[in-house]
Amino acid sequence: MPPTTTIPFPQGVAKVVTLGKLLNCNAWKWAFQNKCKDHRYYEIVEETLEGGFEYHYLLLEDDSGNVRAIQPVFFLRQNLVEGVPGKIRSVIDAVRKVFPRLLTMRVLMAGCAAGAGDLGVCDEKDELWVANALRASLRTYARQNNASLVVLKDFPAEYRAALGTFTSTNYARIPSMPMTRLALHHFQNWEEYFSTLSKATRKDLRRKFRKTERAPKIDMELVNDITPYVDEIHPLYLQVHERSPYKFETLTKEYFRAVSQRMPDRARFFIWRQSGKIVAFSFCLICDDAVYDECMGLDYRVALDLHLYFYTLRDVITWALQQRLKYYYSNPLNYEPKLHLDCELVPLDLYVMHTNVFLNPIFRRAIKYLGPTRHDPVLRRFPNADEL
C-alpha cells in the first residue's frame, strides 16, 4: 500500500507512512520520549529483525492538523497456538495435516515487534485520544490489507484505563505472558536482599554458588558496545532462544550491534568468561531508576552444571544495587526461579479482534482459551496473579 494512504476517523486522520518519512519528523522524536524503548529502538527493530514483519507507522493527526501520536504497526502471519501445550495442541496439529493454515492468520499488530508495546503519544495527556483514534482506524487498515486479526501486542496494565475503549467495542483483552519485577530500593546490597528469601531458597542458592565457585574462575565484564564480541555472544543467545516454547521474534547480530552503538546511554551488556571463553551474557536497558533485563545467552555445554542463570542474575542484581537502581525487570517466561526470588508479575495485555463482524463474537470467546497464560501453572502461584 502506498505510504500516502489516509484513514479518516471522527477526531482526525491516520496517515500510513514509512520509517523513511519519519526520520525528519520532529513528532517522531517526541512520540516515545519518556519510554525505555524510544524512537531509536523502533528504528533498530525495523532495520535489523528478520521473520516476515511488514512495518508501517500511523501518523495520527487531529482536525487541526496537529500530530498527536505516531503508532508503530506491523503485519505478519501468526500461529495462534504458538506455545500451547498438551491435548489442545495435539488435536490442532493433527487437523493441520489436512488444513495446514488452521489458526494461522495474517495479523495487524500495534506495538513493538521486540518487546512490550506503548502508545506513541507526543503528550501523555493524549493517551485516551490516541486510543480512540486507533480503535477507529485499525480495523479499516487491517481489512484494506487482508488481515484477519487486529492485535494490540503486549501493552502494560497501566494502559487499561485508556485502552478500555477497545474492550467496550468488540475487542477481547487477554493476558499475555507477563514480565516480572523485583523491588530493589529496600536493600543496600545482595546480602540484604538474599537474607529476605525463604530458607529453602537460600539453601538452594548457596549450594549452587558453591558448585560454581569450585569450577575455574568466572569473570564478569560490563560493556556498552557489544560489537567486538557479537560473533561470540549471538550463538549463546540462539541457544537460549531455541529452548523457548514461545518464539515470536529472533534477534540478529545486527540488532545487538545497532542497540549498543545507537543507544549507548541505555544499553548495557554483561559478559561472563571462564578461562577466557564467553560462557554467558545479558543484554539490559537502563531507564530512569530501573534496569530491564531484555535477553540473555548461555553456553549450555556448561550452563546447567555451573548454574549460570542464577550466577549471572546475582551479578546483575548486585550491580543494579550498587548503582542505586530501584527496580529490576525481567522479560517473560522462566517463572519458577523468579517466583522463589520474590519477584512480582508485571501484567502485559493483548487486545484482539477479528475483522469479520460476524466471526468476531465467536472469536472473542474462543481466543480466551488459547491465551498463553492459561497453560503456565507457575503463574497462578505468584501473590499478584489476580492482576493478570
Side-chain angles (χ1 to χ4, degrees):
M1 178 171 289
T4 54
T5 296
T6 61
I7 303 168
F9 55 88
Q11 305 93 349
V13 64
K15 296 181 178 178
V16 182
V17 300
T18 63
L19 179 59
K21 295 277 188 179
L22 293 179
L23 295 181
N24 294 318
C25 175
N26 289 332
W28 179 231
K29 309 298 190 296
W30 288 95
F32 297 95
Q33 59 179 322
N34 296 321
K35 306 302 180 184
C36 182
K37 294 180 172 71
D38 61 17
H39 71 281
R40 296 172 296 177
Y41 187 82
Y42 286 86
E43 293 169 11
I44 290 167
V45 165
E46 172 166 348
E47 294 166 8
T48 65
L49 256 61
E50 301 171 352
F53 298 100
E54 303 172 29
Y55 300 97
H56 301 275
Y57 301 81
L58 298 184
L59 192 149
L60 301 173
E61 292 183 356
D62 60 23
D63 291 329
S64 300
N66 298 315
V67 178
R68 306 279 285 272
I70 299 174
Q71 188 63 50
V73 297
F74 55 94
F75 294 97
L76 79 160
R77 186 160 291 280
Q78 178 69 12
N79 176 8
L80 300 187
V81 293
E82 182 73 38
V84 173
K87 294 182 179 179
I88 296 177
R89 184 60 181 269
S90 299
V91 170
I92 293 171
D93 287 344
V95 177
R96 277 180 170 169
K97 292 179 181 179
V98 181
F99 303 101
R101 304 183 89 174
L102 176 70
L103 292 178
T104 301
M105 299 181 181
R106 179 168 166 82
V107 181
L108 170 63
M109 289 195 174
C112 184
D118 283 299
L119 292 178
V121 294
C122 297
D123 186 328
E124 290 186 356
K125 296 192 296 293
D126 285 341
E127 285 185 355
L128 183 58
W129 186 94
V130 172
N132 282 316
L134 289 173
R135 178 189 54 76
S137 55
L138 285 174
R139 180 177 176 272
T140 299
Y141 184 47
R143 288 177 64 86
Q144 288 174 349
N145 287 269
N146 301 313
S148 299
L149 298 183
V150 178
V151 177
L152 275 67
K153 173 185 172 287
D154 293 344
F155 275 72
E158 65 196 54
Y159 285 112
R160 286 178 182 173
L163 297 180
T165 185
F166 283 85
T167 54
S168 65
T169 51
N170 299 321
Y171 279 77
R173 177 172 66 81
I174 61 173
S176 186
M177 301 305 281
M179 298 168 60
T180 62
R181 177 174 60 197
L182 178 64
L184 302 176
H185 52 276
H186 306 298
F187 314 113
Q188 293 297 313
N189 51 50
W190 167 267
E191 290 304 324
E192 274 193 25
Y193 159 65
F194 187 76
S195 68
T196 65
L197 301 178
S198 71
K199 182 178 179 180
T201 299
R202 296 199 307 271
K203 181 180 179 180
D204 181 56
L205 288 178
R206 288 194 187 101
R207 178 183 59 80
K208 287 178 167 64
F209 294 151
R210 282 197 298 268
K211 184 176 182 181
T212 306
E213 288 158 3
R214 286 196 295 267
K217 188 173 184 295
I218 298 175
D219 297 305
M220 187 195 80
E221 179 183 6
L222 177 62
V223 300
N224 293 83
D225 188 358
I226 199 64
T227 303
Y229 316 106
V230 73
D231 289 335
E232 294 178 82
I233 63 100
H234 192 252
L236 304 187
Y237 157 74
L238 291 177
Q239 287 189 44
V240 173
H241 179 68
E242 290 304 316
R243 292 168 70 98
S244 171
Y246 298 93
K247 299 179 181 67
F248 186 79
E249 81 285 349
T250 301
L251 305 179
T252 62
K253 292 181 182 180
E254 291 74 19
Y255 166 89
F256 290 112
R257 288 194 192 99
V259 169
S260 64
Q261 293 173 356
R262 291 157 61 178
M263 300 180 68
D265 53 320
R266 298 190 180 181
R268 303 290 185 274
F269 291 87
F270 298 81
I271 297 172
W272 290 268
R273 290 186 177 85
Q274 186 182 58
S275 303
K277 179 180 175 57
I278 297 178
V279 294
F281 87 96
S282 181
F283 161 48
C284 298
L285 290 173
I286 309 301
C287 186
D288 297 329
D289 57 1
V291 54
Y292 294 80
D293 205 335
E294 294 293 317
C295 69
M296 70 183 312
L298 296 171
D299 184 346
Y300 277 104
R301 291 174 295 185
V302 298
L304 298 179
D305 190 53
L306 296 178
H307 304 292
L308 287 183
Y309 174 82
F310 295 97
Y311 190 87
T312 58
L313 183 62
R314 181 182 65 175
D315 283 354
V316 173
I317 291 176
T318 297
W319 177 85
L321 287 165
Q322 290 170 349
Q323 304 304 308
R324 296 293 184 261
L325 297 176
K326 295 182 179 180
Y327 296 97
Y328 166 82
Y329 287 85
S330 182
N331 262 3
L333 304 181
N334 199 23
Y335 294 109
E336 184 75 37
K338 297 170 185 176
L339 174 66
H340 296 294
L341 291 169
D342 288 349
C343 296
E344 63 177 345
L345 299 177
V346 179
L348 299 175
D349 296 325
L350 301 169
Y351 296 80
V352 189
M353 183 186 71
H354 200 289
T355 57
N356 185 304
V357 294
F358 300 106
L359 292 178
N360 191 51
I362 301 170
F363 181 81
R364 287 181 65 189
R365 292 173 174 83
I367 192 64
K368 295 183 179 182
Y369 294 96
L370 299 177
T373 60
R374 292 177 61 89
H375 309 287
D376 193 314
V378 179
L379 285 176
R380 63 185 68 124
R381 294 161 52 194
F382 279 80
N384 68 326
D386 61 311
E387 296 177 15
L388 296 179

